[in-house]
Amino acid sequence: MSTNSEAKPDRISDEQLLRASRSFEAMMLSQIDISAKLANDLKHAIRVGMAVLALIAISILILLLTLSSQINRISDVVLDMNTNFSSVAVRMDHMSQYIDSMAKRVALMQLMDEQTVSMKKEISDITASMATMQKTIGRMSDRVTSVRQSVDGMSVSVSRMDDQVQLMAADMQHMAKPARSINKMFPIP
């Protein structure tokens, strides 16, 4: 029987088992050390990553606050521009009304021009009448009355013309006010 037990080489001795267990223990300890170092490195990497993320968050917050303040300024400028455009629109409406008034007065000028043509005809009639008056002194009083009536009509027409010209001058002064205001708002160098 002793030969049978010695013949089995598969049997592990106590020494071999002790060496194997020490070797296994050393491997386990080195693996635990490596795991601890990796855990520490991972902790440091996470902390650095958190710090970087915090810096990025702060930078984004500062950027958003800056953009918000700029948007408020732009909004204020746009509101001012809107107010100025409203004022310009009101003044343009006034100018449009003045231009319409001027157009009406220009139409009256055409009527005055027609009256001037008729006055020229009347004047030529008067000169013809005066030539006739020199020849016919007997009819002079009748003709002088006719001439006076024609001159009175001319005087009325001329006074109407004078009134219209004065109204046009006042309208021109009135129309120049918005243009001066616009020139003050948007000076042209």
Side-chain angles (χ1 to χ4, degrees):
M1 279 202 197
S2 60
T3 46
N4 280 346
S5 62
E6 286 178 8
K8 284 189 178 178
D10 292 1
R11 184 174 167 116
I12 299 172
S13 68
D14 288 339
E15 258 181 58
Q16 288 175 337
L17 187 62
L18 186 62
R19 265 188 281 158
S21 68
R22 282 185 188 159
S23 193
F24 180 73
E25 183 182 3
M27 283 191 315
M28 289 302 287
L29 287 175
S30 69
Q31 194 172 20
I32 290 171
D33 283 344
I34 290 172
S35 294
K37 285 180 185 177
L38 285 174
N40 285 336
D41 289 346
L42 184 62
K43 280 185 206 174
H44 290 305
I46 289 173
R47 286 179 185 158
V48 168
M50 296 277 287
V52 168
L53 286 175
L55 287 174
I56 290 172
I58 289 170
S59 300
I60 290 173
L61 179 65
I62 290 171
L63 181 64
L64 286 174
L65 290 174
T66 304
L67 288 174
S68 173
S69 69
Q70 293 299 324
I71 286 172
N72 288 337
R73 287 182 189 164
I74 290 170
S75 175
D76 292 341
V77 168
V78 167
L79 287 175
D80 284 344
M81 284 176 62
N82 190 17
T83 303
N84 290 337
F85 282 137
S86 298
S87 172
V88 168
V90 168
R91 289 192 177 131
M92 289 301 280
D93 287 341
H94 288 304
M95 279 182 65
S96 176
Q97 291 172 356
Y98 293 135
I99 288 172
D100 289 343
S101 174
M102 265 183 69
K104 289 177 185 175
R105 291 206 166 80
V106 166
L108 290 176
M109 289 287 286
Q110 290 175 349
L111 291 174
M112 283 188 247
D113 188 37
E114 292 172 3
Q115 287 181 353
T116 305
V117 169
S118 72
M119 283 193 286
K120 285 180 182 177
K121 289 179 184 176
E122 288 177 10
I123 288 172
S124 66
D125 288 343
I126 290 170
T127 54
S129 296
M130 288 185 76
T132 307
M133 282 192 308
Q134 287 176 354
K135 292 178 184 175
T136 57
I137 294 173
R139 299 179 195 172
M140 195 174 184
S141 62
D142 294 338
R143 283 299 200 195
V144 168
T145 305
S146 171
V147 169
R148 282 184 185 162
Q149 289 173 352
S150 297
V151 169
D152 286 343
M154 284 176 25
S155 174
V156 167
S157 296
V158 168
S159 71
R160 285 182 189 161
M161 257 174 58
D162 188 39
D163 291 342
Q164 291 299 320
V165 168
Q166 287 178 357
L167 282 173
M168 283 177 64
D171 284 342
M172 289 299 285
Q173 288 293 325
H174 204 70
M175 282 176 56
K177 287 181 183 178
R180 285 189 210 114
S181 298
I182 290 173
N183 194 18
K184 287 178 185 176
M185 284 173 54
F186 304 101
I188 298 172

